[in-house]
Amino acid sequence: GRSCKEEIARLEGVLKAVNETLQDSTIVADRAVAGHAEASAEVNALRLELSAVEEAGFHQDAALARLRSGEAEAASGAAKELEALGNVSSRLSAEIISFRQEASLAHAGSVRAEAASAAESEERRALELEVEGMQDGFRRESEASAVSRRHASE
C-alpha cells in the first residue's frame, strides 16, 4: 500500500477536482439564469409588441406567429441550459461519491495500519518477555551450578 501522506495528497487532488466541478456548475447555473432572464425579456418585448399591434389593429396574425416562435426558441434555449446544468450536477454527484469512497478506503487503510502496528508491538513485547525468561532461567541454572560446585569442593 501507499503511505498515508500519499493517500492524503491523492485525496486532496480528488477534492480539488470536486471543487473545480462545483465552480463549473456554478458558471453553468449563472449562464442558465442569465439565459432565462434574456428569454423573459425577449418574451416580454414580444408581448408589448403584440399589444401595440393589436391596439393599432395591424398585422395581428404575424405578431402572434412571432410571439409563439420567440417563446418556443426561449423555451428551447432554457431547456438546453438546464440539461447542461443537469449534466454538470451529475458529474459533481459522481465526484462526491468517488471522494467519499476514497476517504472511506483511506480511513480503513489507516485503521488497518494502526492495528498492524499494535500487533507488532504486542509480538515484540512477548518476545522480549520470552528472552527475559530465558535469561532468568540461565542465570538461575548458573547460580545453582556455582552452588553445586561450592558444595562439591567443600
Side-chain angles (χ1 to χ4, degrees), residues 16-129:
K16 181 180 177 190
V18 168
N19 284 335
E20 289 172 357
T21 303
L22 185 57
Q23 289 173 348
D24 289 349
S25 68
T26 301
I27 290 169
V28 171
D30 290 346
R31 286 183 187 156
V33 168
H36 179 70
E38 285 179 24
S40 292
E42 188 175 327
V43 167
N44 288 337
L46 288 170
R47 284 188 176 139
L48 287 174
E49 186 177 324
L50 177 61
S51 294
V53 168
E54 284 174 342
E55 284 175 25
F58 296 111
H59 311 291
Q60 278 185 336
D61 292 337
L64 280 171
R66 283 201 340 251
L67 175 62
R68 288 187 184 119
S69 173
E71 285 177 337
E73 286 177 24
S76 173
K80 287 177 185 172
E81 290 292 335
L82 287 175
E83 182 182 353
L85 181 59
N87 291 340
V88 169
S89 179
S90 294
R91 269 194 358 246
L92 179 60
S93 292
E95 291 281 342
I96 288 170
I97 289 168
S98 173
F99 177 72
R100 285 183 180 150
Q101 288 172 342
E102 295 293 336
S104 177
L105 289 174
H107 176 70
S110 174
V111 168
R112 280 195 299 273
E114 287 176 19
S117 175
E120 286 175 14
S121 272
E122 288 177 27
E123 276 184 46
R124 186 174 30 252
R125 184 62 189 141
L127 287 173
E128 288 171 356
L129 289 173

